[in-house]
Amino acid sequence: MQAIVFDEFGGPEVLVARDIPRPGLRPHDLLVHNAAIGVNRADLSHRKGAYGRAYFGDSDLMGLEVAGTVAEVGPEVQGFAMGDRVMGIVGGGAYAEYSRIDHRMAMHVPQSLSLLQAGAVAEVFVTAHEAMFHLARLQAGESVLIHAAAGGVGSAAVQLAHAAGARVFATASADKRDAVRGFGADRFIDYRSEDFEAVVAEQTGGKGVDVVIDFIGAPYLARNVRSLAVGGRMTVVGLLGGAIDSAQLPIDLLLYRHLQIYGTVMKSRPPEVKQAMTQRFAERWLGALADGTLRPVIDSSYPLADAASAHRRMETGASVGKILLVPEGMAAQ
């Protein structure tokens, strides 16, 4: 089968297509003939050497999510059969024509979705649900500030928060205003020309928001904390702006406002944690995907062999929603 590999860490140009054997199945695995493969920022970090030659449970190939058709079924698999359309999270190995996935991290694709659309679901929606509902416990009637709201996880988070009945503040660049408002944001904030802390304070009468979902990291830390209401919760999902900054955590606000701060990543979590995350999302939201309440957001798609171009697109920061890879012959799926 064709897969994307790299012999040394570096820029997108190190990614090359190469024929390798199909992965062997373990008892709980499905072998999936991939129709769409999600590109994630963790893949860029992998390519650059942030994880070394790490192995995350399924393969040392990069790639965290797939959608496709079941080609083989392991002897201990339950609930799936040959030919089923599935989507889900893998511990590496997505950048290939075939991937193995533990069936407990797989989901049936609703009939209303194409396999291409399904490729834009698993990683972003499961991560957004985990950050916003499982950890930060967002409730209907509360307010949430979501940064990087035009990205894959950000666009999913805005949709989920809106569907849950929360008031949504969302930051992104001005050229993405219409898209983010279309996802369900109540107040769009252009991070380049507006101070999100000031906007939140003005819009909430100085109260602040109940939840912050942050992908930026250190540069936003102090302002995020100052934007939280009493009893507020923040989940840090990414570090697009870096991990170290001169801004300091306002410990007094953390103490007197009874705030809680969480961090979450998916790539390096144990399989049983990923399974639980997937199942929590599926139980609450698969029906909303089926009826169109939630919709996968696709920025662009590239042939699997041209993974380098997909990485370059992500590195521009111009994308809205998911970037996908499509194996040869699967474009019509």
Side-chain angles (χ1 to χ4, degrees):
M1 69 172 186
Q2 185 183 71
I4 300 300
V5 301
F6 54 91
D7 296 319
E8 59 184 13
F9 300 122
E13 68 280 357
V14 304
L15 301 179
V16 296
R18 188 172 295 160
D19 284 334
I20 66 171
R22 293 185 188 181
L25 257 60
R26 299 160 301 192
H28 289 281
D29 282 341
L30 306 171
L31 182 68
V32 178
H33 188 190
N34 294 331
I37 299 154
V39 177
N40 293 281
R41 288 200 172 272
D43 303 341
L44 276 60
S45 297
H46 191 172
R47 187 198 76 223
K48 295 173 183 177
Y51 313 118
R53 289 291 179 184
Y55 181 88
F56 291 99
D58 292 304
S59 173
D60 57 5
L61 296 177
M62 69 169 59
L64 301 175
E65 61 183 324
V66 300
T69 304
V70 176
E72 293 183 35
V73 177
E76 296 182 25
V77 167
Q78 298 179 7
F80 296 91
M82 294 272 292
D84 283 354
R85 301 187 325 143
V86 297
M87 57 188 179
I89 295 164
V90 296
Y95 280 32
E97 289 184 275
Y98 290 85
S99 299
R100 66 182 183 185
I101 178 173
D102 188 302
H103 77 277
R104 293 162 293 190
M105 288 190 285
M107 296 173 280
H108 290 282
V109 176
Q111 287 301 312
S112 57
L113 296 184
S114 69
L115 286 176
L116 187 69
Q117 291 173 309
V121 170
E123 179 79 11
V124 294
F125 278 99
V126 171
T127 299
H129 176 267
E130 189 73 6
M132 198 158 49
F133 296 103
H134 183 66
L135 294 177
R137 307 180 309 282
L138 181 69
Q139 303 292 319
E142 291 190 322
S143 55
V144 57
L145 170 63
I146 300 169
H147 293 299
V153 182
S155 62
V158 173
Q159 291 189 65
L160 290 170
H162 176 74
R167 183 185 185 192
V168 183
F169 296 85
T171 71
S173 56
D175 57 308
K176 299 172 182 176
R177 179 186 307 270
D178 291 345
V180 173
R181 289 189 63 85
F183 302 148
D186 297 290
R187 176 59 161 90
F188 176 85
I189 302 170
D190 175 9
Y191 75 91
R192 290 175 176 152
S193 65
E194 297 181 280
D195 179 352
F196 70 79
E197 181 187 350
V199 172
V200 166
E202 189 273 330
Q203 291 287 314
T204 64
K207 173 180 176 290
V209 294
D210 300 291
V211 171
V212 172
I213 304 299
D214 181 54
F215 302 87
I216 308 303
Y220 279 14
L221 175 61
R223 283 189 288 161
N224 280 337
V225 170
R226 291 195 295 264
S227 297
L228 282 168
V230 173
R233 294 86 67 195
M234 178 169 73
T235 306
V236 179
V237 185
L239 297 170
L240 292 174
I244 300 175
D245 190 80
S246 58
Q248 296 182 350
L249 173 66
I251 296 290
D252 56 338
L253 297 183
L254 185 71
L255 180 68
Y256 296 122
R257 292 188 187 178
H258 309 284
L259 306 180
Q260 299 174 63
I261 301 176
Y262 303 91
T264 185
V265 295
M266 183 182 293
K267 186 177 180 72
S268 57
R269 304 297 286 278
E272 59 271 18
V273 175
K274 296 179 185 178
Q275 293 163 18
M277 292 167 68
T278 302
Q279 290 160 16
R280 282 191 288 267
F281 167 78
E283 288 170 5
R284 180 166 181 179
W285 294 110
L286 269 189
L289 276 167
D291 67 19
T293 300
L294 303 177
R295 60 184 180 88
V297 180
I298 298 174
D299 173 81
S300 52
S301 63
Y302 295 83
L304 174 61
D306 195 18
S309 292
H311 278 219
R312 292 187 186 99
R313 171 66 178 170
M314 179 165 280
E315 289 179 336
T316 67
S319 58
V320 175
K322 289 294 296 186
I323 299 170
L324 300 175
L325 299 173
V326 179
E328 184 178 357
M330 304 300 288
Q333 295 294 313

